[in-house]
Amino acid sequence: NTRMSSTWSIHYDRWIIDDGEPQRDSDEHFQWSLLSFYSLERLTQAAAPARSGIEVDDYNYEIVAEIVHLSSSAVVIDFGLNAFGERDSAPSGCQVGDYIAGRIRLSLLHYCHPSLPSQILESMNRNWFVEGIWADLTPYRRVDEAGRTFVRDSRNATYERVKSTREKKARSYVLQCTLLPG
């Protein structure tokens, strides 16, 4: 049983573009294989085994996902899409086949996580169509006395619709993408 959207909000960070990946445009088709997830808090054991991914505030998702791969450094989850994250984001004691739940943010990455087997990487290869792009203009705030550490101030999340990542420089963009067959 899977409840899944066909359109996903996926973060595309400026540093990826600066590392040589292409700028993105609305109405563009592209292929990408590494979908990652990030969670501010450790995910928890799910009450029921039903995959789902429901968009919530600030382009995050509340998910229930099956663990499909687990290593000492990575976890791959299936909530209708496969995404990988740091092993520490999954509850301790969990194993492949367990269901976990929580709030995640999806991002495109361009490097290969070293602990993912080739069959897992191949299963994550997807074709996308960009329906729209939002530049993330959310301010950052200081979190230490010396003023050297800044974090994104999600309470003041601000986005501006753009036609391309070339149009406005931002630390991150949200690509509103439709998953294409094949």
Side-chain angles (χ1 to χ4, degrees), residues 82-151:
N82 284 2
F84 78 92
E86 296 298 319
R87 170 62 180 92
D88 292 344
S89 60
S92 59
C94 63
Q95 54 192 342
V96 171
D98 287 351
Y99 282 78
I100 57 178
R103 182 175 291 220
I104 65 169
R105 173 172 288 209
L106 298 174
S107 297
L108 296 174
L109 289 183
H110 72 300
Y111 59 87
C112 178
H113 199 284
S115 64
L116 296 180
S118 60
Q119 72 269 21
I120 295 286
L121 290 172
E122 289 168 17
S123 75
M124 295 175 70
N125 198 23
R126 297 283 185 258
N127 292 303
W128 298 99
F129 178 75
V130 181
E131 301 283 347
I133 302 172
W134 284 262
D136 184 351
L137 305 176
T138 302
Y140 280 66
R141 60 181 168 80
R142 285 190 181 117
V143 294
D144 66 343
E145 292 291 322
R148 294 186 186 134
T149 305
F150 292 82
V151 295

Side-chain angles (χ1 to χ4, degrees), residues 22-165:
Q23 301 275 352
R24 293 288 168 209
D25 299 299
S26 290
D27 300 325
E28 170 186 29
H29 292 88
F30 71 98
Q31 187 176 43
W32 203 274
S33 59
L34 291 174
L35 182 66
S36 72
F37 76 89
Y38 171 76
S39 181
L40 284 174
E41 297 183 14
R42 185 178 289 225
L43 301 174
T44 60
Q45 289 288 131
R51 292 179 194 93
S52 65
I54 300 167
E55 190 166 358
V56 293
D57 63 312
D58 202 17
Y59 299 105
N60 291 308
Y61 287 89
E62 286 289 336
I63 58 101
V64 175
E66 181 180 4
I67 296 174
V68 295
H69 173 79
L70 195 59
S71 71
S72 61
S73 61
V75 59
V76 178
I77 60 175
D78 177 0
F79 51 92
L81 286 177
N82 284 2
F84 78 92
E86 296 298 319
R87 170 62 180 92
D88 292 344
S89 60
S92 59
C94 63
Q95 54 192 342
V96 171
D98 287 351
Y99 282 78
I100 57 178
R103 182 175 291 220
I104 65 169
R105 173 172 288 209
L106 298 174
S107 297
L108 296 174
L109 289 183
H110 72 300
Y111 59 87
C112 178
H113 199 284
S115 64
L116 296 180
S118 60
Q119 72 269 21
I120 295 286
L121 290 172
E122 289 168 17
S123 75
M124 295 175 70
N125 198 23
R126 297 283 185 258
N127 292 303
W128 298 99
F129 178 75
V130 181
E131 301 283 347
I133 302 172
W134 284 262
D136 184 351
L137 305 176
T138 302
Y140 280 66
R141 60 181 168 80
R142 285 190 181 117
V143 294
D144 66 343
E145 292 291 322
R148 294 186 186 134
T149 305
F150 292 82
V151 295
R152 186 175 176 276
D153 186 2
S154 59
R155 294 170 300 166
N156 293 305
T158 305
Y159 295 90
E160 182 180 317
R161 180 118 191 208
V162 293
K163 292 182 189 283
S164 169
T165 56

Side-chain angles (χ1 to χ4, degrees), residues 161-175:
R161 180 118 191 208
V162 293
K163 292 182 189 283
S164 169
T165 56
R166 291 176 198 80
E167 188 176 317
K168 185 165 209 95
K169 191 157 187 170
R171 289 185 185 201
S172 182
Y173 301 88
V174 175
L175 307 179

